[in-house]
Amino acid sequence: MDHRLTRLRAALAERALPALLVSAPANRRYLSGFSGSYGYLLVTPAEAVLFTDGRYTLRASREAPAVSVRQVVNPGRPFPALLAEAAAELGLASLAFEAAHMSVAEHNALAAALGAGVELAPAEGVVEALREQKDAEELATLRRAIAITDAAFTAVAERLAPETTEREAAWMLEVAMRVGGADDVAFPIIVAAGPNGAQPHATPGDEPLGAGRPIVIDMGARLGGYHADLTRTIVLGEPDARFGELYALVREAQARAVAGLRPGLPAHEADALARDQIAAAGYGEQFGHGLGHGVGLNIHEGPSLRRSATGTSAPLRPGMVTSVEPGVYLEGWGGIRIEDLVLITEDGCEVLSRAPKLG
């Protein structure tokens, strides 16, 4: 974790921030390795201090050897008081906090404890920007999570029958991922049969999968804190003509996007690679979400491959891992979505997902 703290300190220096209080769980884990549900990480140019309570002090000492650990005790030694002590010891006159991840109540409590001598300065996206480019350790974990997901889909897809319900299929997929080594599911699994597939984020119910109609399956394994994400659209039995037309369109749009992804490409232009083809076929209004999103310690993180209101967006960079998931959704009929995870490389991209597609 030392190299991640080094990168953060360089980012803080660029922004003229003397210290950062990290409260977002994913950011805290990225910088320290600590996976507990409660804690704050204070990072200065010379120190990194993790504050957590008695439930996690032993875990913190094992998972986060690069930082010092201070125990929060309520009542007695609450976090705001401990932070004020640390700020005084370190001579901090200003402290940045993650504005997107702190409530007004938390801010008020910290401000009261720190007093007028320490300015609380809001900061956004400091750690998130670092997390967009994955290091070798992160990529290794992501590859394992993706492989578990691919294997689970392949095994379960062969066992599905028209009478299997959406809920049963989702459970079969979850069991297969856990048996395959996943710590948990990355998100609630989506299995949406027939007209239910017109909802991009449908909830599995007691609807039978049925024969001859589209079945959208969106799933992912979580391993070591990292999330995989995979979508396949399948059909049991013979599909109708519309299925063949739309599946071919979505698959071609996805392939076009994957072929065009490269470092330096603005994110909104990546989205357009698939969107323009779908729109040209007359289904632009039926593709209502972005082309893709980054994955890592959160299932949705940067980069965001979507349309831009300003006509500008941040460029893709080597080391980013993003989904590529165009879709078409027709009310009353269903949906088609195909999603792979890809790694942006020095000269293009590598498709990480290996689960089979139709055709």
Side-chain angles (χ1 to χ4, degrees):
M1 299 297 168
D2 287 348
H3 66 286
R4 298 179 187 174
L5 289 171
T6 297
R7 291 181 65 211
L8 174 62
R9 287 174 172 130
L12 294 179
E14 289 177 4
R15 298 188 183 207
L17 297 175
L20 177 66
L21 181 65
V22 179
S23 55
N27 292 343
R28 185 179 64 230
R29 183 168 187 170
Y30 173 78
L31 293 168
S32 70
F34 174 60
S35 65
S37 65
Y38 171 77
Y40 296 85
L41 180 66
L42 174 63
V43 181
T44 74
E47 300 289 339
V49 184
L50 177 66
F51 303 87
T52 190
D53 61 31
R55 296 172 297 170
Y56 295 121
T57 49
L58 289 178
R59 182 193 295 190
S61 64
R62 292 195 303 268
E63 293 181 338
V67 307
S68 60
V69 179
R70 300 194 186 191
Q71 184 172 336
V72 175
V73 180
N74 287 307
R77 292 175 59 78
F79 169 65
L82 290 179
L83 181 63
E85 289 179 9
E89 292 171 12
L90 298 170
L92 297 179
S94 178
L95 174 60
F97 66 94
E98 296 185 304
H101 306 289
M102 180 171 289
S103 70
V104 173
E106 288 177 296
H107 179 276
N108 289 343
L110 294 183
L114 291 169
V118 180
E119 176 193 12
L120 281 172
E124 295 188 29
V126 181
V127 184
E128 287 86 348
L130 303 179
R131 285 173 43 209
E132 288 188 359
Q133 291 178 278
K134 272 53 182 181
D135 59 31
E137 180 181 348
E138 293 179 287
L139 288 174
T141 304
L142 277 167
R143 289 180 187 276
R144 289 166 55 206
I146 292 165
I148 291 169
T149 305
D150 289 341
F153 169 82
T154 303
V156 171
E158 298 174 350
R159 296 159 46 202
L160 297 177
E163 62 271 20
T164 306
T165 68
E166 296 170 334
R167 195 189 311 273
E168 289 168 341
W171 178 244
M172 292 165 67
L173 292 163
E174 178 170 350
V175 170
M177 287 191 287
R178 287 183 177 272
V179 170
D183 297 331
D184 201 348
V185 294
F187 52 89
I189 295 169
I190 297 168
V191 179
N196 293 339
Q199 306 172 70
H201 278 193
T203 300
D206 294 321
E207 176 78 11
L209 300 181
R213 58 184 187 164
I215 304 162
V216 179
I217 296 174
D218 193 346
M219 59 185 287
R222 192 177 79 207
L223 180 70
Y226 285 80
H227 300 72
D229 199 356
L230 173 78
T231 303
R232 293 291 183 264
T233 303
I234 64 172
V235 63
L236 304 177
E238 290 298 319
D240 61 19
R242 173 177 279 176
F243 181 92
E245 171 200 350
L246 292 181
Y247 191 92
L249 172 64
V250 173
R251 183 160 183 180
E252 289 168 8
Q254 195 211 32
R256 184 170 184 263
V258 169
L261 294 180
R262 64 186 187 278
L265 181 71
H268 74 283
E269 292 185 17
D271 176 273
L273 290 170
R275 188 172 304 281
D276 289 352
Q277 185 165 356
I278 291 174
Y283 294 100
E285 294 300 315
Q286 286 72 46
F287 179 17
H289 55 75
L291 175 65
H293 57 86
V295 298
L297 286 168
N298 287 328
I299 186 59
H300 290 95
E301 57 184 53
S304 178
L305 278 55
R306 61 188 306 161
R307 290 171 286 187
S308 169
T310 63
T312 61
S313 59
L316 301 180
R317 293 172 288 162
M320 289 179 166
V321 176
T322 179
S323 69
V324 181
E325 50 179 308
V328 172
Y329 309 91
L330 302 180
E331 185 175 358
W333 180 80
I336 305 286
R337 183 166 70 253
I338 304 171
E339 175 187 20
D340 291 317
L341 293 182
V342 304
L343 167 66
I344 305 300
T345 62
E346 294 293 338
D347 56 2
C349 74
E350 174 191 353
V351 179
L352 302 178
S353 303
R354 294 286 184 263
K357 303 181 179 78
L358 298 180

